[in-house]
Amino acid sequence: METAEQLKEIVRQTYSAIAEGGQPEAAGCGCGPTSCCGPSNDVPINMAVGYDGLNGYVAEADLGLGCGLPTQFAQIKPGDVVVDLGSGAGNDGFVARAETGETGRVIGLDMTPAMIDRARRNAKTLGYSNVDFVYGDIEEMPLPDNLADVVVSNCVMNLVPDKQKAFSETFRILKPGGHFSISDIVLKGDLPAGVIKDAELYAGCVSGAIQKDTYLQIVQEAGFTGISLQKEREIVLPDELLQNYLTADEIADYRQQDKGIYSVTVYAEKPTAPAVELAPAATSAASCCGPDCCN
């Protein structure tokens, strides 16, 4: 079983290969709009969602690695500071920049140097001076406290080994009253181990996914409030995959139950700092403010 550092290195190699123009097969598998690494490439799993209709969309920065549209739901305002976790080639960052405008700031964080380089080239081509891309680990972000008004992330947190640390760091960098909108992959119910294994081969975003209830509990334990699901959709597993592990009757039963692999977009807020109560000023029994009793 791989250690946390080994898992990170697998992810880094995978996304380095993608950033450099290779296919996910070169180093494992990444998220994508269709199956690219499964036992049979003609059995697609639809993970990605189209960005084409969003302001700020840059085709050259869209590598088809997401599983949702967090920036669509992020309630970004002009002038906001936005941090994009796992920023890849910059797609979500550029969409966020269209919302926050020239008066705001967008910071992308990624642990793959090749992705940082590609995103910076894209930003330079676009002439954006208020979009930065920083190398760093989501579990230990090289960013100051209380920096961001909004945090977004697209199908990245599930790949992070220590999700508690990742969400604790997200809480730390958000300003009091700030919020996040994060798209991710979660599980619902008990799935056969073989199904999960094959689903990971088809789409690497499934790797590291945890139960939905556990995911939301981690968010709550990190200190967030106002937690809600902005969107949820099932990642439909094809019968060709399921029939390797389930009978026809079991597949039919699986289809009818509320379990499977889901893409969710989660919203949560960092509470504002509690008001400081000032102690009442000491007063004498005969309060006055005349020349004889007030200096």
Side-chain angles (χ1 to χ4, degrees), residues 21-263:
Q23 294 299 317
E25 298 99 308
C29 196
C31 308
T34 59
S35 166
C36 57
C37 341
S40 172
N41 283 344
D42 59 357
V43 183
I45 295 179
N46 182 23
M47 299 289 288
V49 180
Y51 272 76
D52 303 43
L54 296 185
N55 291 334
Y57 171 72
V58 178
E60 291 77 9
D62 184 5
L63 303 181
L65 301 177
C67 59
L69 295 175
T71 44
Q72 184 182 40
F73 298 97
Q75 304 173 29
I76 298 168
K77 303 185 300 297
D80 277 348
V81 176
V82 181
V83 173
D84 177 20
L85 303 178
S87 49
N91 190 30
D92 282 291
F94 299 139
V95 173
R97 196 266 183 191
E99 298 295 326
T100 194
E102 295 184 1
T103 60
R105 184 184 178 196
V106 177
I107 303 165
L109 178 72
D110 204 284
M111 71 170 187
T112 306
M115 282 292 186
I116 293 291
D117 290 344
R118 184 161 178 170
R120 287 173 176 170
R121 290 197 302 270
N122 286 332
K124 184 177 180 179
T125 299
L126 294 164
Y128 291 160
S129 60
N130 61 339
V131 181
D132 304 310
F133 293 96
V134 177
Y135 175 78
D137 192 324
I138 292 175
E139 293 176 5
E140 296 181 60
M141 300 183 201
L143 299 173
D145 297 355
N146 306 321
L147 167 69
D149 298 287
V150 182
V151 168
V152 297
S153 185
N154 196 349
C155 217
V156 173
M157 285 295 202
N158 60 294
L159 300 173
V160 177
D162 193 334
K163 294 171 179 55
Q164 286 89 350
K165 285 186 68 176
F167 278 107
S168 177
E169 281 288 271
T170 302
F171 188 91
R172 179 184 66 79
I173 69 165
L174 273 168
K175 297 175 183 177
H179 64 270
F180 74 67
S181 184
I182 291 177
S183 294
D184 222 336
I185 294 295
V186 297
L187 308 177
K188 292 173 68 174
D190 296 327
L191 279 68
V195 170
I196 294 295
K197 183 178 180 180
D198 268 8
E200 289 176 6
L201 292 175
Y202 281 99
C205 286
V206 178
S207 180
I210 61 176
Q211 291 290 323
K212 173 184 169 183
D213 290 346
T214 303
Y215 189 101
L216 296 177
Q217 182 178 354
I218 289 172
V219 172
Q220 183 177 32
E221 289 175 351
F224 289 100
T225 59
I227 303 168
S228 64
L229 285 181
Q230 295 176 306
K231 189 170 183 178
E232 178 174 346
R233 68 182 177 94
E234 183 180 4
I235 305 301
V236 179
L237 302 179
D239 286 351
E240 290 91 334
L241 186 155
L242 294 175
Q243 68 187 10
N244 293 326
Y245 307 96
L246 305 174
T247 66
D249 288 343
E250 288 172 334
I251 290 175
D253 183 61
Y254 171 87
R255 298 288 189 208
Q256 293 175 0
Q257 296 186 40
D258 185 26
K259 66 180 181 180
I261 301 171
Y262 285 78
S263 165

